[in-house]
Amino acid sequence: MRKLLAALFLCAFALAQDEGREVADERPILFVRWERTAQRGKIYLAAWQALEPHHGMPARLRLKDLDGDEKKAKAFFAEHKDARLVIAVDDASAVAARAALPGVPVLSAGVSESATVSARVGRGRLVKLMRLLHPDVASVGVYKVNYSKRNLMNPNNALSPARVQELPELELFDCAAPNAFWQCDLAWWPEGGESPGSSALRAPLVVTADSLQASAATMTVLPDPESLGRKLAAVALGMLRDGKPPPKEPLTVSRLRVMIDLQAARAISYEVPLAALARADEVRRAR
């Protein structure tokens, strides 16, 4: 009986310690997301879990969804001016945090040059994956990024069009062009691009943006979200515990997650090669 009571006491003490980290008077770490996507949710969860074992960390607030609402973002940051650190899981929430809290360090996962950890797929590796999907690929139709819409809060916070739309050894075409259908072996929706919607382009679609419905793409390629989240947590720990400065250049992760959707391939009567299926981390079968 005594052993049971002692165990219960220790559990209660541990829980109290954990709750103390959540509600302590210390300046909190904020987690923010501009738009809700599964990829960004996984990045947050990985960062949160990586910080969990470190009992000396400041209080942490659960992920705040800003829902693309600038007023909501300003109100949230005004309420938390005492934040010690902001961890943003996309570029737009990082921009909003830096604008509202100029004295607070902001760490982010994103494709902009100011990101702490890059969520941009390396172009050389992307070309290799495209060649698995289409061994004879020579030309790619690109859905352009609408920079005027994407960077309303900070026009200088994104990669230039040339940096986004580069694929070594492949010829690129604008998917909006009338003859793009006849020129392109594959279509590509890059990070930050506008949704292709119901395009007349009948080529397999490769996506490196994290906000497209998965069923629209034959191949989706994204950096591993757990790796992104753990890198953000490691930088946060280095800053808060060891006094290290944040990296001057975006860190990268080596692991990519590849998803093949056979339903999307069937919709355009395309047979996915076995080599692409073997490389995929996930294969969604045709219904």
Side-chain angles (χ1 to χ4, degrees):
M1 185 66 179
R2 289 181 179 178
K3 291 183 178 179
L4 177 61
L5 289 173
L8 291 173
F9 175 80
L10 288 173
C11 288
F13 179 77
L15 288 172
Q17 290 292 96
D18 187 69
E19 288 300 315
R21 293 203 311 275
E22 295 290 335
V23 298
D25 291 333
E26 300 174 7
R27 293 176 295 155
I29 297 175
L30 308 182
F31 290 85
V32 289
R33 176 171 61 174
W34 189 254
E35 293 178 334
R36 304 180 191 222
T37 72
Q39 174 82 351
R40 297 169 195 180
K42 291 175 183 177
I43 295 170
Y44 152 70
L45 188 60
W48 178 277
Q49 291 174 341
L51 290 173
E52 184 66 30
H54 299 274
H55 295 267
M57 284 293 95
R60 293 164 295 153
L61 300 185
R62 295 287 180 179
L63 179 65
K64 178 65 176 180
D65 283 306
L66 304 176
D67 297 321
D69 187 331
E70 192 171 347
K71 290 183 179 179
K72 184 175 182 178
K74 289 180 177 179
F76 173 73
F77 291 124
E79 184 182 355
H80 297 287
K81 289 183 178 179
D82 63 336
R84 184 171 181 182
L85 178 70
V86 177
I87 296 180
V89 296
D90 52 45
D91 289 313
S93 60
V95 171
R98 292 186 181 106
L101 304 172
V104 177
V106 177
L107 306 181
S108 65
V111 300
S112 76
E113 294 175 344
S114 61
T116 309
V117 183
S118 177
R120 180 175 180 264
V121 177
R123 297 322 192 213
R125 298 181 68 188
L126 178 59
V127 169
K128 290 180 181 179
L129 290 168
M130 286 180 167
R131 285 177 172 152
L132 289 180
L133 181 62
H134 192 311
D136 299 321
V137 61
S139 58
V140 177
V142 183
Y143 291 92
K144 289 187 174 180
V145 177
N146 185 342
Y147 287 92
S148 61
K149 179 179 179 181
R150 181 169 178 252
N151 301 303
L152 288 176
M153 300 188 69
N154 187 346
N156 299 317
N157 195 58
L159 295 169
S160 67
R163 288 289 303 278
V164 169
Q165 299 173 22
E166 56 182 16
L167 292 178
E169 302 177 12
L170 295 180
E171 190 172 6
L172 303 184
F173 292 91
D174 180 0
C175 278
N179 60 348
F181 172 80
W182 305 107
Q183 294 174 309
C184 302
D185 301 314
L186 294 176
W188 173 37
W189 188 35
E191 301 90 328
E194 293 295 290
S195 173
S198 56
S199 172
L201 188 68
R202 304 296 292 174
L205 176 62
V206 178
V207 170
T208 54
D210 69 357
S211 54
L212 181 69
Q213 293 296 325
S215 60
T218 300
M219 174 183 278
T220 301
V221 183
L222 296 172
D224 177 59
E226 286 77 17
S227 299
L228 293 173
R230 287 193 293 268
K231 284 247 182 182
L232 283 174
V235 175
L237 281 171
M239 293 175 62
L240 300 179
R241 186 183 59 189
D242 305 324
K244 295 181 179 179
K248 294 182 179 180
E249 299 291 335
L251 303 176
T252 59
V253 299
S254 58
R255 185 179 179 189
L256 298 177
R257 287 196 60 82
V258 179
M259 195 274 282
I260 299 289
D261 192 318
L262 296 179
Q263 182 70 22
R266 174 184 284 184
I268 58 171
S269 302
Y270 186 77
E271 184 174 350
V272 178
L274 289 177
L277 293 174
R279 170 59 184 84
D281 297 285
E282 178 184 355
V283 176
R284 297 192 176 184
R285 300 189 180 280
R287 300 180 185 88

